[in-house]
């Protein structure tokens, strides 16, 4: 039971805090995604460097520079729903909520197109990207420390019984030793005196561990009853690649991606019992991980259907192994949070497919499909392994240019996550969703584009069981997210 509950605690520390259908992998890599979630056939804007690298070969010649920022307004919540099963321990069912907004979420891309070649690069947030702050902790952390309190209290009672038994054996052995000594049986007296010393050592040892286990149990219960949680996780990515027009209608592309993941977590409890035993009012740690991967792409504009776009892109798995550092809090070690501990939270491989068609010269319709191979990735946390199934999303979008100066886009997507009712996260709920985005592009000049966009993600509430349904540790997960973005693109030709 302890392992099952512990496995939920930090499962979201490296998970995406904004929007994702691959559990880890982000999809809102640029502000263009907010305007139209169907991005996989992009070949007219430099943000193709994110979504369709082979499409960069079809851009107009010259240097393209684009960038933007997203503003994320979110509410994550998890509700402990156990019919107050733990009320006798001072813990009643409650709803934990995070309302930490994100005001800095940048992206940057650049493409240089010359002849049949294009060279491109981008910088963005590939996972994480925000902070979570729960003033009353979460159902997962509450139950972990509650379960820890029970386990250590049980250990304390067991150790105390052993200490008492060993102490009794030590006293009896000492008494027998005295009797043999009085009878002049020196050798037997020495044997029993030696056994008495051994039993006394064991009694003292178990008495000390019983005391320590009792202290940990008291501190854990205090933490379970009243604590706060703050988590930040950001995985930055830098990508560099090139595309080549094999023919006038077919391009191939490859890119190298380097990622840096950072995490930090702080649990605080102001109860005097916890502070006295823990030597401070918090448990915290930092972690850093590095990863590398490749991206390959194909884009075709079949001459038999001149206005059709077909794309395929494959991102290999990015293996990210985190190293834990700067651990604070005496109690942390008893929950397996230690310096130099390593764990992997990979970005799974992704297959991206797209199809688009120019219904009119100024009207473009596209569809995108993304498949995330979560089964083949380690998506673990600092405490345990997390098992997610593969996931996918499908999107449909429309881009329309009203006139020389204004264009508009709208799109929607459905994401099916790879979760089960015992594999999810109380910190950062991973939920199936429907996303609707829209926005405008303004063209003050032929070289400058300014985009304004907004996206609403409707997530479906789900039940999540910390352990098993028979344990009555049900949590109801929910969240709401609204993203707004502004982007600027300039074409030097």
């Amino acid at each position: 039971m302890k392992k099952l509950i512990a496995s939920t605690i930090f499962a979201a520390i490296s998970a995406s805090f904004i929007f994702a259908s691959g559990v880890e992998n982000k999809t809102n890599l640029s502000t263009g995604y907010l305007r139209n979630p169907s991005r996989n056939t992009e070949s007219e804007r430099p943000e193709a460097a994110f979504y369709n690298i082979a499409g960069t070969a079809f851009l107009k010649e010259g240097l393209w520079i684009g960038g933007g920022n997203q503003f994320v307004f979110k509410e994550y919540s998890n509700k402990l729903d156990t019919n107050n099963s733990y009320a006798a321990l001072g813990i009643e069912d409650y709803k934990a909520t995070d309302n930490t907004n994100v005001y800095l979420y940048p992206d940057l891309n650049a493409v240089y197109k010359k002849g049949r070649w294009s060279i491109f690069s981008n910088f963005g947030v590939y996972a994480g990207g925000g902070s979570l702050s729960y003033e009353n902790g979460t159902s997962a952390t509450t139950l972990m420390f509650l379960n820890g309190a029970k386990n250590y209290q049980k250990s304390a009672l067991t150790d105390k019984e052993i200490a008492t038994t060993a102490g009794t054996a030590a006293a009896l052995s000492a008494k027998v030793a005295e009797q043999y000594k009085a009878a002049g049986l020196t050798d037997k007296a020495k044997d029993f005196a030696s056994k008495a010393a051994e039993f006394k050592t064991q009694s003292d040892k178990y008495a000390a561990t019983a005391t320590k286990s009792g202290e940990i149990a008291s501190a854990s219960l205090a933490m379970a009853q009243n604590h706060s949680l703050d988590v930040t996780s950001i995985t930055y990515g830098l990508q560099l690649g090139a595309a080549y027009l094999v023919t006038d209608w077919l391009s191939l592309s490859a890119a190298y991606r380097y990622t840096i993941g950072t995490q930090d977590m702080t649990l605080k409890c102001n109860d005097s019992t916890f502070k006295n035993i823990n030597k401070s009012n918090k448990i915290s740690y930092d972690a850093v991980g590095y990863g590398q991967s490749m991206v390959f792409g194909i884009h075709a504009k079949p001459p038999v259907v001149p206005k059709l776009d077909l794309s395929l892109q494959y991102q290999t798995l990015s293996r990210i192994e985190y190293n834990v550092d700067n651990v604070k809090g005496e109690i942390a070690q008893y929950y397996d949070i230690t310096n130099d501990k390593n764990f992997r939270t990979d970005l799974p491989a992704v297959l991206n497919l797209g199809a688009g068609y120019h219904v009119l010269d100024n009207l473009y319709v596209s569809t995108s499909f993304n498949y995330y191979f979560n089964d083949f990735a380690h998506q673990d946390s600092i405490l345990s392994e997390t098992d997610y199934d593969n996931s996918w999303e499908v999107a449909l979008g429309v881009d329309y240019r009203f006139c020389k100066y204004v264009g508009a886009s709208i799109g929607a997507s459905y994401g099916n996550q790879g979760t089960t009712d015992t594999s999810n996260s109380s910190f950062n709920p991973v939920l199936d969703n429907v996303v609707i985005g829209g926005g405008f592009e303004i063209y003050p000049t032929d070289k400058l584009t300014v985009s304004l966009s907004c996206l609403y993600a409707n997530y479906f509430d789900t039940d999540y069981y910390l352990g098993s349904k028979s344990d009555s540790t049900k949590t109801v997960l929910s969240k709401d997210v609204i993203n707004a973005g502004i982007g600027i693109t300039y074409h030097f030709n």
Side-chain angles (χ1 to χ4, degrees):
M1 177 66 179
K2 179 181 178 181
K3 181 178 179 181
L4 288 171
I5 291 182
S7 68
T8 68
I9 303 309
F10 301 102
I13 287 179
S14 59
S16 170
F17 289 156
I18 310 301
F19 180 81
S21 281
V23 180
E24 298 290 338
N25 305 67
K26 303 302 291 295
T27 47
N28 58 314
L29 298 172
S30 76
T31 55
Y33 180 87
L34 309 185
R35 192 177 64 254
N36 178 1
S38 179
R39 310 295 329 137
N40 291 358
T41 59
E42 179 60 71
S43 61
E44 297 179 358
R45 304 169 181 85
E47 65 190 74
F50 283 109
Y51 298 103
N52 180 28
I53 59 175
T56 60
F58 290 98
L59 287 173
K60 295 179 181 179
E61 290 206 353
L63 174 64
W64 298 76
I65 303 291
N69 186 62
Q70 298 179 44
F71 306 89
V72 186
F73 307 94
K74 61 184 175 66
E75 178 179 290
Y76 293 179
S77 66
N78 57 93
K79 181 182 179 182
L80 189 62
D81 187 8
T82 68
N83 294 317
N84 287 320
S85 300
Y86 306 108
L89 297 172
I91 299 171
E92 296 185 354
D93 289 356
Y94 70 99
K95 183 176 182 180
T97 303
D98 162 71
N99 296 104
T100 308
N101 297 323
V102 179
Y103 300 106
L104 180 62
Y105 190 90
D107 65 87
L108 182 66
N109 54 76
V111 180
Y112 179 71
K113 170 65 186 303
K114 181 69 174 180
R116 290 187 173 276
W117 284 95
S118 68
I119 300 174
F120 57 86
S121 180
N122 66 50
F123 169 83
V125 180
Y126 285 92
S131 297
L132 298 174
S133 182
Y134 291 96
E135 292 184 0
N136 300 315
T138 68
S139 56
T141 48
T142 294
L143 290 171
M144 184 190 78
F145 285 108
L146 177 60
N147 189 66
K150 290 179 179 178
N151 287 339
Y152 281 108
Q153 186 59 47
K154 183 178 180 180
S155 295
L157 292 174
T158 300
D159 290 344
K160 187 175 181 180
E161 290 177 359
I162 295 174
T164 300
T165 302
T168 301
L172 290 174
S173 296
K175 184 177 181 180
V176 172
E178 288 295 326
Q179 291 173 345
Y180 277 124
K181 183 178 180 181
L185 300 174
T186 305
D187 290 340
K188 288 188 176 181
K190 288 182 179 180
D191 287 341
F192 276 92
S194 177
K195 290 180 180 179
E198 291 178 4
F199 282 126
K200 181 62 166 60
T201 299
Q202 290 295 316
S203 178
D204 292 343
K205 175 184 175 182
Y206 280 97
T209 57
T211 299
K212 189 62 178 179
S213 293
E215 291 177 347
I216 299 169
S218 297
S220 297
L221 181 59
M223 176 69 89
Q225 293 172 339
N226 182 18
H227 70 279
S228 64
L229 168 69
D230 293 288
V231 179
T232 299
S233 174
I234 303 175
T235 300
Y236 303 97
L238 180 65
Q239 185 171 287
L240 178 65
Y244 179 71
L245 280 173
V246 179
T247 69
D248 290 340
W249 59 272
L250 178 66
S251 68
L252 303 177
S253 185
Y256 167 78
R257 179 184 295 177
Y258 185 76
T259 53
I260 301 175
T262 63
Q263 301 178 12
D264 65 76
M265 178 277 295
T266 300
L267 285 155
K268 290 183 179 180
C269 176
N270 291 318
D271 187 281
S272 59
T273 299
F274 179 81
K275 289 191 290 184
N276 291 337
I277 296 171
N278 190 62
K279 310 303 182 186
S280 72
N281 70 334
K282 69 179 181 180
I283 296 173
S284 63
Y285 84 94
D286 300 326
V288 178
Y290 306 91
Q292 303 179 71
S293 60
M294 297 294 296
V295 185
F296 302 96
I298 302 173
H299 189 110
K301 295 178 178 287
V304 292
V305 187
K307 297 182 179 181
L308 178 66
D309 287 293
L310 298 173
S311 67
L312 181 151
Q313 181 167 291
Y314 180 75
Q315 306 170 41
T316 65
L317 178 145
S318 180
R319 184 182 188 276
I320 304 178
E321 184 168 349
Y322 286 85
N323 179 260
V324 178
D325 190 20
N326 198 29
V327 174
K328 296 181 180 178
E330 295 292 320
I331 303 301
Q333 60 184 306
Y334 299 102
Y335 287 90
D336 202 23
I337 304 174
T338 58
N339 285 321
D340 292 324
K341 180 176 181 177
N342 295 321
F343 64 94
R344 280 176 58 185
T345 309
D346 304 333
L347 291 181
V350 186
L351 176 65
N352 310 107
L353 303 175
Y357 187 75
H358 277 282
V359 179
L360 301 171
D361 290 341
N362 61 344
L363 177 63
Y364 187 71
V365 178
S366 66
T367 185
S368 300
F369 177 78
N370 304 318
Y371 192 83
Y372 303 86
F373 297 91
N374 300 316
D375 277 344
F376 300 98
H378 289 264
Q379 296 175 292
D380 306 332
S381 70
I382 189 173
L383 288 184
S384 63
E385 298 181 357
T386 305
D387 185 24
Y388 289 107
D389 295 330
N390 294 340
S391 56
W392 56 270
E393 67 180 347
V394 60
L396 178 67
V398 177
D399 296 300
Y400 182 74
R401 186 152 181 170
F402 292 102
C403 62
K404 180 180 179 180
Y405 299 104
V406 181
S409 303
I410 190 171
S413 72
Y414 171 76
N416 183 284
Q417 304 288 2
T419 61
T420 66
D421 58 5
T422 57
S423 179
N424 210 302
S425 169
S426 291
F427 289 177
N428 171 40
V430 182
L431 308 175
D432 293 350
N433 55 77
V434 171
V435 170
I436 300 175
F440 295 92
E441 287 185 315
I442 302 170
Y443 318 101
T445 70
D446 292 339
K447 297 181 179 182
L448 177 64
T449 302
V450 178
S451 65
L452 303 171
S453 54
C454 185
L455 176 145
Y456 171 70
N458 179 45
Y459 293 93
F460 306 117
D461 294 359
T462 190
D463 295 341
Y464 173 36
Y465 292 86
L466 299 169
S468 65
K469 294 182 181 180
S470 62
D471 294 323
S472 298
T473 51
K474 173 183 171 184
T475 294
V476 181
L477 305 179
S478 62
K479 64 180 179 180
D480 292 295
V481 177
I482 296 176
N483 288 31
I486 181 169
I488 297 176
T489 299
Y490 196 84
H491 180 205
F492 301 87
N493 55 5

